[in-house]
Amino acid sequence: MANHKSALKRIRSNDAKRLRNRYQAKTTRTFIKKLKGTTDQAEAQELYKTVSSMLDRLAKKNIIHKNKAANNKSKLAKFVNSLAAA
């Protein structure tokens, strides 16, 4: 266990940030699954806007890598466009 006051505070703040990051990442994954399960094109476009901004936010905060966010957005955009074609 840490002896310095600042180290104890750092442990507490790291735990809080870790929980927040896990919550945001899990919520984003849930929205991605919801989007992939959608068959309605209009609803999919609305969900895509939400998921896209969530992914951008995660990448900005370095919770996920920026390329992973870009890859996910690209795949989801292809999915939404395939709904429009069908």
Side-chain angles (χ1 to χ4, degrees):
M1 190 66 186
N3 291 323
H4 296 283
K5 205 169 192 179
S6 61
L8 293 171
K9 181 179 178 183
R10 174 60 67 190
I11 290 169
R12 287 195 310 270
S13 65
N14 284 344
D15 283 342
K17 289 175 186 175
R18 179 178 155 270
L19 287 175
R20 190 177 318 116
N21 290 343
R22 284 183 61 196
Y23 172 77
Q24 290 175 345
K26 180 63 179 167
T27 305
T28 304
R29 287 196 304 269
T30 304
F31 269 80
I32 289 172
K33 287 176 189 167
K34 186 190 277 190
L35 174 59
K36 286 184 178 177
T38 305
T39 55
D40 181 34
Q41 201 260 335
E43 183 184 347
Q45 282 191 332
E46 287 302 313
L47 268 173
Y48 177 72
K49 288 179 187 175
T50 307
V51 170
S52 178
S53 68
M54 291 170 100
L55 287 168
D56 285 337
R57 214 172 298 131
L58 290 179
K60 181 182 175 186
K61 295 179 181 178
N62 289 324
I63 299 171
I64 62 172
H65 195 273
K66 64 178 183 174
N67 290 350
K68 179 175 182 171
N71 286 337
N72 279 339
K73 285 169 51 178
S74 174
K75 286 177 189 170
L76 293 172
K78 279 184 180 178
F79 173 74
V80 171
N81 290 336
S82 72
L83 288 178

